[in-house]
Amino acid sequence: MDTKVQNQAAIGVLWLAGLSILGLLVVFLGYILYKGLPILSLAFVLGKSSDMMAGGGVGAQWFNSFYMLAISLGISLPVALGAGIYLAEYAKETKLTKCIRLSVESLATVPSIVLGLFGMILFVHVMDLGFSIIGGALTLVLLNLPLLVRVTEEAIRTVPKSYKEASLALGATKLQTVLRVILPEALPGIITGITLTAGRALGETAILIFTAGTTVSRHMFDFDVMAGGETLAVHLWYLMSTGLVPDRELIADGIGALLILTILIGNILLMLPVKLWLKQRGR
């Protein structure tokens, strides 16, 4: 077969694979939104849930999802950024750094249900935090850290070495080079990692069932970290497994659509400022 024909055939196969994935995504999201968008309303999104009566909302669960995500990212981001910078810029290739990388990669492969059981033993029972927002958030930190560390390290390593050498040649210190040259250039990759981590955490169920529980506070938008921490994803699981609400399928459809919209809008809000910042810098 002619080389040009082979090249065209390979390009066609790759296009077909890409369009197939895109088609599956469109069908998947379209079906969820088609079923769930008619359910969404202000009363549904901000209203209180019901255990027995129809017409309940998901306001407390929606708030818990964001609140727990904010706490977990607030704890894991500084640690992950520090570890990623250390591994990429300061650490030498020793047995210790190899052990750290192996530990991070091993933690990333642990099933979430195992992390949930570990969190239940440590945070719920040993530390006596009970089924609470803080217990779920601390366990989510274990889920977030491996991905954030690896993404940060890889994003920093993609920055051209010439940028670092030019900064050092102009008299900047190593810390100044990292903070003012390397990190700004690696920011798009780091933000991408944060969006992936946030989306994964928002949709997590196994970890939170064992640590945050399946109940919410009696007060709407309760900032008490010891309150019940049921999230949207956990509420969806609870409704379709043991829920007694007559309209549970409608509520489940609404939760699915709300989760999709929340993740999409969150990604846009995180990525748009980065795109505008890169455009201003001429990239």
Side-chain angles (χ1 to χ4, degrees), residues 19-273:
L19 291 175
S20 299
I21 294 173
L22 181 61
L24 286 173
L25 180 63
V26 170
V27 171
F28 172 71
L29 295 181
Y31 178 76
I32 293 177
L33 294 176
Y34 170 76
K35 296 282 288 184
L37 282 179
I39 313 300
L40 297 184
S41 65
L42 196 61
F44 177 80
V45 174
L46 300 179
K48 288 186 177 182
S49 59
S50 172
D51 291 331
M52 300 293 293
M53 304 296 292
V58 292
Q61 289 82 1
W62 196 44
F63 170 79
N64 283 349
S65 299
F66 282 107
Y67 190 32
M68 209 175 302
L69 176 64
I71 294 174
S72 63
L73 287 179
I75 297 172
S76 56
L77 265 179
V79 178
L81 288 174
I85 292 170
Y86 170 76
L87 291 172
E89 291 296 322
Y90 291 94
K92 297 179 180 179
E93 287 300 323
T94 63
K95 290 183 179 180
L96 176 61
T97 55
K98 291 180 180 178
C99 181
I100 293 173
R101 287 194 178 93
L102 179 62
S103 300
V104 171
E105 292 170 359
S106 299
L107 186 59
T109 60
V110 175
S112 59
I113 193 169
V114 176
L115 290 177
L117 289 171
F118 174 79
M120 182 177 67
I121 294 170
L122 179 61
F123 301 122
V124 176
H125 295 297
V126 175
M127 297 181 65
D128 198 25
L129 297 176
F131 293 104
S132 60
I133 289 173
I134 188 62
L138 290 174
T139 313
L140 278 180
V141 170
L142 303 178
L143 182 75
N144 296 342
L145 273 177
L147 179 58
L148 289 174
V149 171
R150 293 300 294 163
V151 166
T152 301
E153 182 184 1
E154 293 303 320
I156 291 174
R157 289 186 182 278
T158 59
V159 177
K161 290 185 178 180
S162 58
Y163 289 20
K164 175 182 175 181
E165 293 169 352
S167 177
L168 294 174
L170 291 172
T173 64
K174 184 68 175 288
L175 181 60
Q176 288 173 331
T177 300
V178 169
L179 295 179
R180 299 183 182 181
V181 177
I182 296 176
L183 277 182
E185 291 297 321
L187 187 60
I190 296 173
I191 293 295
T192 300
I194 293 173
T195 59
L196 292 174
T197 303
R200 183 183 181 189
L202 281 174
E204 185 56 49
T205 54
I207 284 179
L208 301 179
I209 290 171
F210 289 110
T211 56
T214 57
T215 60
V216 293
S217 172
R218 291 176 295 175
H219 308 288
M220 288 293 289
F221 314 127
D222 193 348
F223 285 90
D224 182 8
V225 295
M226 300 304 295
E230 185 183 47
T231 61
L232 281 175
V234 173
H235 190 53
L236 173 61
W237 167 83
Y238 178 77
L239 283 174
M240 299 309 295
S241 59
T242 59
L244 301 176
V245 186
D247 59 345
R248 63 177 189 171
E249 292 186 2
L250 294 177
I251 297 176
D253 290 337
I255 292 175
L258 183 59
L259 272 173
I260 293 296
L261 291 176
T262 299
I263 292 172
L264 289 177
I265 294 172
N267 288 348
I268 292 172
L269 292 178
L270 280 173
M271 294 302 298
L272 189 58

